[in-house]
Amino acid sequence: MGKKSAKHLIVGASGHVGRALFRVAMDRGESVRGTRLTHERSDLDELDIRDRDAVARLFVATSPEVVYLCAGLTDIEKCERWHHKSYQTNVEGARNVIDAANHVGARMIYLSSGYIFDGRQGPYHESAPTNPLCIYGAHKLIAEHLVATSASSWLIIRTQCVYGWEDIGGSFVSRLMQKLKHERLIDVPRDLTVSPTYDRCLAGAIFEIVEIARDSSTGGVFHVAGASTCSMYKFALATARIFGCDQRLINPVSTADLGWKALHPADASLVVSKAQDAVKTVLLPYEIGLEQMLKDEL
């Protein structure tokens, strides 16, 4: 890919959220560049956000106006096992991107998570007290503080349980459908409440928020997620029903039964009224979102 400037630079455009943002930007006719690390994509620049010099060089070469940080170590169990690797990527990597964005005068859009909350009083408003239970949530919260205190111009977008068509197979829905397709039993927690978020709605709303806040140098936090909440088990049942899979293969269990090392917030769902009042993109409830996902593929 030749070295040329772009209005939007999506760091981590080969991941699920980054790819959704990249696709929507292309659909909107925006000037956009994207980066990737582990997933081969010929249309994206290779970038490891842990490499401070490489980040700085790319930002100077592309001169973006808006930078979206979607890259990171998002496997919660891996973060719990490998604290140092999580910190290097999710904190130090974020710092490198912030500094590079400041250097070229770009606005910083940071993608964060409901895992910064402890799950005891969900659903959460933007101003709710934070108290992460796991390493992933703690490192996302540290990165949020870095963005809010160090970035010259910034927005923080928190989301949760993103689903949609993606080829890397990392999302809950992708893993679920793969197992159901092969008629394999899958254990799904019945005691975790989430806000399932259709990726196209998420991406569309983010671009609207960025446009609305274009003339403001101040920062802000927005929760952008699906408009309804449910247990992971109920979400799995709805996915199976809408996509014509056998619901009997979905086995409800408690999180304690799964043997996870990381603690997960029982209810990290998000209140999205602030974002929904600001944008025209409808943040779909999960059943309607799943139906829209099916239509979009067809």
Side-chain angles (χ1 to χ4, degrees), residues 176 180 184-186 188 233-252 287:
L176 173 71
L180 295 178
R184 294 165 57 191
L185 188 70
I186 181 170
V188 177
Y233 174 61
K234 191 172 181 181
F235 182 47
L237 289 178
T239 302
R241 175 178 56 81
I242 289 169
F243 285 89
C245 300
D246 189 350
Q247 293 176 303
R248 294 170 298 179
L249 293 170
I250 301 170
N251 181 42
E287 290 185 302

Side-chain angles (χ1 to χ4, degrees), residues 67-224:
V67 174
Y68 305 79
L69 179 51
C70 306
L73 183 60
T74 58
D75 186 312
I76 294 168
E77 286 295 282
K78 287 183 179 178
C79 289
E80 203 69 23
R81 292 188 176 93
W82 304 326
H83 295 194
H84 183 61
K85 186 174 182 180
S86 174
Y87 190 86
Q88 280 185 320
T89 305
N90 294 331
V91 177
E92 293 179 357
R95 191 195 311 272
N96 293 338
V97 173
I98 293 166
D99 290 346
N102 286 345
H103 181 70
V104 300
R107 180 154 223 194
M108 178 79 182
I109 315 299
Y110 180 65
L111 272 294
S112 191
S113 165
Y115 274 78
I116 64 168
F117 300 112
D118 62 20
R120 295 187 176 95
Q121 295 182 321
Y124 289 94
H125 290 272
E126 285 83 355
S127 59
T130 57
N131 184 33
L133 302 179
C134 61
I135 292 297
Y136 172 73
H139 289 170
K140 293 298 285 185
L141 183 58
I142 293 171
E144 280 197 15
H145 287 317
L146 287 174
V147 170
T149 57
S150 301
S152 300
S153 179
W154 58 273
L155 289 170
I156 292 170
I157 307 292
R158 296 177 185 146
T159 192
Q160 194 196 37
C161 195
V162 180
Y163 64 93
W165 297 110
E166 45 99 14
D167 57 8
I168 59 176
S171 71
F172 169 75
V173 166
S174 293
R175 297 193 305 271
L176 173 71
M177 291 178 63
Q178 187 67 17
K179 289 192 175 184
L180 295 178
K181 178 182 176 181
H182 291 92
E183 298 184 344
R184 294 165 57 191
L185 188 70
I186 181 170
D187 294 334
V188 177
R190 61 174 178 267
D191 55 351
L192 290 183
T193 299
V194 293
S195 298
T197 308
Y198 186 35
D199 58 9
R200 297 195 185 193
C201 296
L202 171 63
I206 288 173
F207 278 113
E208 282 195 71
I209 291 169
V210 169
E211 188 67 21
I212 291 167
R214 180 179 55 182
D215 298 325
S216 173
S217 61
T218 59
V221 180
F222 286 85
H223 287 178
V224 183

